[in-house]
Amino acid sequence: MVPGKLWGGLVVLFFAGALTGIAGATLYHQYEQEHQWERGPAAKQERIMKRLTHELALTPAQQADIEPIISRTHVEILQLRFSHQPQVEQALTQGMAEIKTKLSAKQLEELDELYAKLQRRWQVSRDYLQTTQERLKLMK
């Protein structure tokens, strides 16, 4: 075999592997973003702890000290979010009413499904907030 063809084949193989890796990573991150809400708000808190543990090289003792702070802060942020929820829902309802005048019957059904999914997400977050608040009260 000619050395030039061998090196050319290796270069092509390298770039094919690199492109496959890039495509795989992109698809993975896109999938994660689209489906992260399905795991609920507890998963967000877990991701925060994992990231802090990794980025700051937290010891197990530090993790144990920091986890309740992260939990409490997460609950406070959710409380703020839900205190403004009526305004958010009013704006969303008004916007959806305007959008619905522009859609076909099939699109209306799909929009209603999207809104139902959003409502389920909000309910999961409300449930999480309530149980976490109760858990934090017990810890005090």
Side-chain angles (χ1 to χ4, degrees):
M1 181 177 267
V2 179
K5 286 185 178 182
L6 177 63
W7 282 107
L10 289 174
V11 168
V12 168
L13 185 62
F14 171 79
F15 282 114
L19 288 175
T20 302
I22 290 169
T26 301
L27 289 173
Y28 172 76
H29 287 293
Q30 185 178 30
Y31 176 83
E32 282 294 310
Q33 271 189 326
E34 291 174 1
H35 297 285
Q36 76 183 35
W37 71 268
E38 292 174 354
R39 293 185 293 274
K44 185 171 210 148
Q45 182 179 335
E46 291 172 17
R47 283 192 308 275
I48 291 168
M49 275 305 300
K50 284 181 184 176
R51 184 162 185 188
L52 288 175
T53 299
H54 175 72
E55 297 286 331
L56 303 176
L58 298 177
T59 66
Q62 288 173 317
Q63 290 176 39
D65 290 341
I66 290 173
E67 195 278 330
I69 298 167
I70 296 295
S71 183
R72 187 188 74 239
T73 305
H74 192 234
V75 166
E76 290 173 9
I77 290 169
L78 284 173
Q79 287 172 329
L80 282 170
R81 186 177 124 209
F82 284 119
S83 71
H84 293 284
Q85 191 67 27
Q87 294 131 327
V88 170
E89 289 187 31
Q90 182 182 7
L92 186 59
T93 301
Q94 184 178 357
M96 285 183 56
E98 292 176 35
I99 290 171
K100 285 182 175 185
T101 64
K102 314 281 186 206
L103 300 178
S104 69
K106 183 180 180 191
Q107 290 171 323
L108 285 172
E109 288 178 26
E110 291 174 7
L111 181 63
D112 288 339
E113 287 177 25
L114 289 172
Y115 186 66
K117 284 181 184 178
L118 180 61
Q119 292 285 10
R120 286 191 297 273
R121 277 179 55 193
W122 285 343
Q123 188 58 49
V124 166
S125 292
R126 284 184 196 102
D127 295 342
Y128 170 79
L129 176 61
Q130 184 178 5
T131 57
T132 305
Q133 284 175 323
E134 291 169 4
R135 182 176 54 88
L136 288 173
K137 285 179 187 175
L138 293 174
M139 292 175 73
K140 288 183 179 181

